[in-house]
Amino acid sequence: MTSALRTCPLCQSVCGLRLTLDDDNRVARVQGDRDDPFTKGFICPKGASLGRVDEDPDRLRTPMVRHGEQWRQVGWNEAFQAVEKGLNGVIEAHGRDAVALFFGNPTYHTLAGILYRTPLTQSLGSKNIYSSGTLDHMPRHVAAGHLYGDAFAIAVPDLDRTDLLLVVGANPMVTNGSLMAAPDFPGRLRALRKRGGRMVVVDPRRTRTAELADEHLFVRPGTDPVLLLGIVHTLLAENLTSVTLEVNGLDDLRALAEEFTPELAERVCGVPADDVRRLARELAAAPTAAVYSRIGASTVEFGTLAQWLVEVLNILTGNLDRAGGTMFTRPAAVELFRTGQQYVGGNWHSRVRGLPEVLGELPAATLVDEIETPGEGQVRALIVNAANMVLAAPNGPRLDRALSTLDFMVCVDPYLNETTRHANVILPPPRILQMPHFDMLLQTVTVRNYTRFSPPVLPLGSDQLSEGDILAKLTLIVAGAGASADPSMLAEGMMGDILGAFTQIPGSPVEGREVAEVRASLAGDSDLERIVDLFLRLGPYGLSLPDLKANPHGIDLGHLEPRLKELLVTPSGKVELAPPALTGDLARLRERVTAPTPEVLLIGRRQLRSANSWLHNVEQLRGGSNRCTLHINPADVARYGLGERAVVRSATGELVVDVEPHEAIMPGVVSLPHGWGHAGTPLRVAIEDSGVNANTLTSESTVDVPSGNAVFNGVPVTVGPYPA
Ligand SMILES: Nc1nc2c(c(=O)[nH]1)N[C@H]1C(S)=C(S)[C@@H](COP(=O)(O)OP(=O)(O)OC[C@H]3O[C@@H](n4cnc5c(=O)[nH]c(N)nc54)[C@H](O)[C@@H]3O)O[C@H]1N2
Ligand SMILES: Nc1nc2c(c(=O)[nH]1)N[C@H]1C(S)=C(S)[C@@H](COP(=O)(O)OP(=O)(O)OC[C@H]3O[C@@H](n4cnc5c(=O)[nH]c(N)nc54)[C@H](O)[C@@H]3O)O[C@H]1N2
Ligand code: SF4
Ligand SMILES: [Mo]
């Protein structure tokens, strides 16, 4: 038996784990690492099953090449030659825009996925870049970009010091937090209550989080901006604001909030006007307060408006950038993503629907249009890293059909699944325990400043390639360096470029030094590790990879400290409270407010033992509440005369679903989890009781206009008995 320390990569909580391995290197036991100063031994059922996830016998070990319906295991050289031939063929015949790239959710967790995302994108030089960002959090970036100039100015609730936490459309008791790394949310919540604090939840379902809250308010899906404007209206009308930051646009905000009264909120959102007023007064009166919002007010038709108004509430109540409010983490690694330039979107537009580029990407919802619509610039080839878009994107079935028409597709993914089955080549990354792990991204949203690095627990087999090398090879292939190029060329180029810049930057830790000399001093057992060492050395704490390796339980870097001033890059140098790029979308909201309300609205539901689409092949994580059922209020079951099954229809498609009556869901709302509907894959466990693809019902044609984000919550549907 040996033991190893390791950060769990399965959600955004960054839990430190202690693994016990048997003599065959199988994970015999997983415990929370009590010596981790931040995560303090917390573990959830997914983390406890990390060994089973890692050892899943259905994971691919060797590259796969498809000939018609037949899959063949091949060596890496043959696989990369096939990729070079396939991609070059399309680029030569149709140009670079004919190749699209798609990055899925796990690329925010893996080191290779984060570090090589930009080089791969830049080397490809295509307008057709897509990611799960526009299935998730793009509204938040767009709101931040216009308010603060920096689209990456993402504040997190200062959970350990706040007096009042208002949660709008998030369920951290199940998801363990998102764009907020808050390991042991239950424990942090208990501590909040113990020090006299409160939590209020706004959600169309009485979720686990809502059950533990001091107060839960049902809200009609998709209407949060009207509720939030009702609160803003009250704060301004009753002179309850205490703006401590330098802001522009307060008068504009006052003028446009005028019409959005608490009474309007009651009519549109179903939240009593008195409660809207009371919420405003409580937010203003609390010594400190933090409004936190995620998927329920992001993947909606007015996601950007909602995310903007959440920020506005934190600003108006004096809570942005102060202890106990919402604050900006200071990570250990240098923040190269902060360009110091004012955010602008719309640098180019999608060919078919003319949707604007945001942060270098086009909306994932429109990828299918770009594949299906003939003409110059039509997408003919696709590179996918860690995305199962057939299950994740709106109108998945249409995308499923479109993928089968591509000239070439390559996927970096450990599974042959609903999406990768369309690939010509699948390149499998090694097992989780064979990868180094450093939460480059999640350490930018921890609720305390913190860092930790995990070296690989197990070595690579002689027939395996690291994920870094796989992505480096792909990058070099699209850059024209060929399939046989040495993958280290990419890392060397990156380190050289970064050092070239930082040795010239006054005050940088390497100012005036020789690039080659600094490069030679970098430590690490692989290209990725050496890049991490460089990022740490350029970071604000003067740490290095050897420091992190010497502290394998992680390093506490202290409470969050105010830092908005250094992030703000608006031309005015002030927070722009009411920028036209955001307020302009209110016209669309006004139209919606006056339109008739559909009888039934569909929302999503994340599950404790899932991670979107890809943990359903692990027996230990199946069953119980982790089933793909339609949650519906018993009153609606009676109203629509439903039995055990029902048919749900939307403008996009229809599904037959298992009915699970639940008091916890608002009448007029039904909920279906996403990531199910496993089909056409050899995954032995997932294929049993495979559930249905919720994205058969969601539409690719409706997006949150400013961000292009997909709409998964508040989808109009009808429900009827099955069989009819
Ligand atoms: N209806 C509905 N749809 C939704 C949502 C919703 O709430 N409702 N949520 C949306 C959101 S927020 C998101 S983020 C997306 C998520 O959807 P996706 O971005 O597709 O993410 P996952 O399903 O988590 O994983 C995608 C793929 O990554 C692979 N993978 C796992 N580990 C690794 C690894 O280490 N390396 C590589 N290369 N691949 C790996 C898995 O095998 C899987 O095929 O779904 C979106 N879709
Ligand atoms: N266990 C587990 N953890 C996960 C994941 C998982 O699949 N399983 N996925 C990961 C990913 S990719 C992400 S992005 C995060 C997401 O993290 P969260 O945002 O916390 O996850 P959701 O469960 O989607 O929470 C959305 C909540 O919004 C509510 N809601 C729906 N519509 C509306 C609305 O119109 N208004 C309001 N106010 N609320 C609404 C839903 O009922 C739900 O409770 O979780 C991550 N962590
Ligand atoms: S909460 Fe998230 S990071 Fe922690 S053990 Fe569970 S899945 Fe892993
Ligand atoms: Mo997500």
Side-chain angles (χ1 to χ4, degrees):
M1 292 276 187
T2 51
S3 102
L5 297 169
R6 169 94 206 166
T7 296
C8 176
L10 298 180
C11 87
Q12 303 183 29
S13 251
V14 304
C15 296
L17 303 179
R18 178 183 283 283
L19 312 176
T20 309
L21 299 156
D22 67 16
D23 297 337
D24 297 325
N25 275 338
R26 277 179 53 93
V27 178
R29 191 168 177 202
V30 188
Q31 294 162 288
D33 176 7
R34 290 214 200 104
D35 299 321
D36 184 309
F38 180 51
T39 76
K40 293 184 178 155
F42 184 73
I43 185 168
C44 84
K46 283 195 290 186
S49 301
L50 183 65
R52 301 296 85 77
V53 175
D54 192 44
E55 289 153 12
D56 183 352
D58 287 339
R59 276 179 84 101
L60 302 174
R61 189 172 166 105
T62 50
M64 306 286 284
V65 168
R66 183 173 57 81
H67 301 275
E69 298 289 295
Q70 293 301 311
W71 286 97
R72 194 163 59 84
Q73 298 185 357
V74 300
W76 288 99
N77 286 342
E78 186 178 341
F80 284 117
Q81 276 159 13
V83 171
E84 181 176 24
K85 187 161 170 255
L87 291 178
N88 279 355
V90 171
I91 291 173
E92 276 158 28
H94 308 287
R96 291 193 165 259
D97 289 338
V99 182
L101 245 176
F102 200 112
F103 297 102
N105 176 272
T107 62
Y108 297 111
H109 298 265
T110 60
L111 189 49
I114 279 289
L115 287 179
Y116 288 165
R117 186 182 179 114
T118 305
L120 178 54
T121 306
Q122 287 177 347
S123 302
L124 180 62
S126 165
K127 290 195 182 85
N128 282 297
I129 309 299
Y130 302 84
S131 85
S132 57
T134 49
L135 304 174
D136 183 342
H137 46 80
M138 203 54 96
R140 182 75 183 274
H141 289 298
V142 172
H146 291 294
L147 280 156
Y148 314 120
D150 179 359
F152 293 95
I154 303 291
V156 296
D158 186 9
L159 209 51
D160 299 341
R161 291 185 286 184
T162 195
D163 298 290
L164 174 60
L165 180 68
L166 173 59
V167 179
V168 182
N171 187 9
M173 284 299 292
V174 166
T175 60
N176 287 298
S178 175
L179 284 187
M180 166 181 81
D184 191 12
F185 184 82
R188 287 174 201 272
L189 184 58
R190 276 194 302 275
L192 173 112
R193 305 289 276 297
K194 215 167 152 189
R195 60 176 187 267
R198 298 177 67 235
M199 176 169 77
V200 178
V201 172
V202 177
D203 198 301
R205 267 175 63 226
R206 193 168 59 249
T207 59
R208 285 198 198 189
T209 308
E211 266 166 21
L212 286 178
D214 297 272
E215 186 181 0
H216 167 224
L217 297 164
F218 281 120
V219 64
R220 198 166 286 137
T223 65
D224 296 79
V226 180
L227 170 66
L228 298 168
L229 278 162
I231 301 177
V232 170
H233 176 103
T234 308
L235 288 174
L236 292 167
E238 299 186 3
N239 276 327
L240 297 174
T241 58
S242 45
V243 182
T244 47
L245 305 167
E246 279 199 69
V247 300
N248 265 336
L250 196 53
D251 290 339
D252 296 340
L253 188 68
R254 192 184 300 277
L256 56 87
E258 188 69 40
E259 67 187 288
F260 290 94
T261 59
E263 281 66 30
L264 182 70
E266 172 165 333
R267 186 171 68 67
V268 174
C269 318
V271 178
D274 285 346
D275 287 336
V276 179
R277 286 201 180 85
R278 187 173 45 79
L279 264 184
R281 291 170 194 151
E282 286 173 2
L283 277 176
T288 64
V291 188
Y292 168 67
S293 169
R294 278 299 281 130
I295 289 296
S298 184
T299 60
V300 284
E301 214 178 328
F302 300 98
T304 302
L305 282 181
Q307 296 303 312
W308 163 59
L309 289 161
V310 165
E311 297 297 306
V312 165
L313 282 185
N314 285 320
I315 296 164
L316 290 183
T317 54
N319 281 302
L320 180 78
D321 204 35
R322 77 149 162 188
T326 57
M327 304 193 81
F328 301 95
T329 310
R330 188 186 296 280
V334 65
E335 299 167 291
L336 290 184
F337 53 87
R338 298 201 199 280
T339 59
Q341 304 290 315
Q342 154 83 24
Y343 163 79
V344 272
N347 291 306
W348 64 87
H349 290 78
S350 70
R351 180 182 61 106
V352 180
R353 280 160 64 186
L355 297 174
E357 161 275 347
V358 173
L359 289 183
E361 299 182 18
L362 293 172
T366 199
L367 170 61
V368 69
D369 305 306
E370 297 296 327
I371 297 174
E372 284 182 353
T373 313
E376 206 182 313
Q378 181 184 7
V379 169
R380 309 291 286 267
L382 184 56
I383 304 171
V384 185
N385 185 17
N388 190 348
M389 301 95 79
V390 169
L391 301 188
N395 199 351
R398 182 178 161 207
L399 191 56
D400 189 28
R401 291 188 297 275
L403 293 181
S404 67
T405 67
L406 288 168
D407 292 346
F408 186 76
M409 175 165 161
V410 51
C411 294
V412 183
D413 203 292
Y415 284 114
L416 205 175
N417 62 25
E418 299 72 23
T419 296
T420 61
R421 73 192 174 100
H422 294 292
N424 301 80
V425 181
I426 305 176
L427 305 168
R431 283 167 50 180
I432 295 168
L433 296 190
Q434 294 172 315
M435 303 191 192
H437 188 83
F438 180 69
D439 285 300
M440 188 70 94
L441 192 87
L442 300 177
Q443 285 181 22
T444 69
V445 288
T446 46
V447 299
R448 272 184 80 84
N449 295 318
Y450 158 83
T451 189
R452 177 169 168 146
F453 174 83
S454 313
V457 174
L458 301 173
L460 287 179
S462 56
D463 58 344
Q464 288 177 294
L465 216 56
S466 72
E467 188 161 29
D469 281 356
I470 296 171
L471 294 177
K473 285 282 224 179
L474 281 178
T475 306
L476 292 165
I477 286 173
V478 297
S484 55
D486 175 4
S488 288
M489 272 173 62
L490 180 67
E492 292 303 330
M494 264 177 87
M495 291 187 284
D497 288 350
I498 294 169
L499 279 173
F502 276 80
T503 47
Q504 306 295 317
I505 296 176
S508 111
V510 293
E511 182 193 355
R513 288 175 63 185
E514 284 298 320
V515 171
E517 172 254 324
V518 187
R519 162 64 194 90
S521 73
L522 294 178
D525 295 333
S526 62
D527 288 337
L528 293 181
E529 289 196 9
R530 282 181 285 275
I531 298 176
V532 170
D533 189 34
L534 172 61
F535 278 41
L536 288 168
R537 285 172 198 264
L538 296 177
Y541 300 95
L543 290 165
S544 67
L545 188 65
D547 295 332
L548 269 58
K549 285 187 174 176
N551 291 277
H553 302 288
I555 303 175
D556 179 44
L557 298 168
H559 273 306
L560 305 184
E561 301 280 352
R563 68 175 298 217
L564 179 64
K565 267 208 177 82
E566 65 180 287
L567 304 184
L568 207 60
V569 286
T570 51
S572 63
K574 296 181 182 176
V575 172
E576 294 294 341
L577 267 185
L582 299 177
T583 57
D585 203 32
L586 285 169
R588 204 168 56 95
L589 181 67
R590 273 187 213 105
E591 246 172 63
R592 176 45 45 97
V593 164
T594 48
T597 315
E599 209 166 277
V600 185
L601 294 169
L602 173 74
I603 62 169
R605 177 168 93 245
R606 275 180 164 73
Q607 297 169 301
L608 188 62
R609 288 173 297 143
S610 280
N612 305 314
S613 74
W614 73 281
L615 295 188
H616 298 149
N617 204 46
V618 177
E619 199 71 64
Q620 285 77 359
L621 296 175
R622 298 288 304 261
S625 64
N626 209 8
R627 287 190 57 235
C628 183
T629 57
L630 187 81
H631 281 190
I632 178 166
N633 191 281
D636 286 334
V637 173
R639 183 168 181 199
Y640 298 111
L642 307 183
E644 278 181 14
R645 309 191 85 194
V647 56
V648 185
R649 288 194 182 87
S650 72
T652 311
E654 75 173 53
L655 285 175
V656 176
V657 295
D658 291 338
V659 172
E660 195 178 343
H662 239 286
E663 291 285 356
I665 194 159
M666 234 176 130
V669 179
V670 294
S671 154
L672 203 56
H674 74 284
W676 295 86
H678 301 289
T681 110
L683 301 182
R684 281 165 280 197
V685 181
I687 209 76
E688 291 168 28
D689 198 9
S690 58
V692 294
N693 182 355
N695 285 315
T696 306
L697 299 171
T698 58
S699 167
E700 73 285 29
S701 57
T702 311
V703 293
D704 168 53
V705 171
S707 68
N709 207 87
V711 178
F712 297 127
N713 287 301
V715 176
V717 292
T718 61
V719 182
Y722 182 87

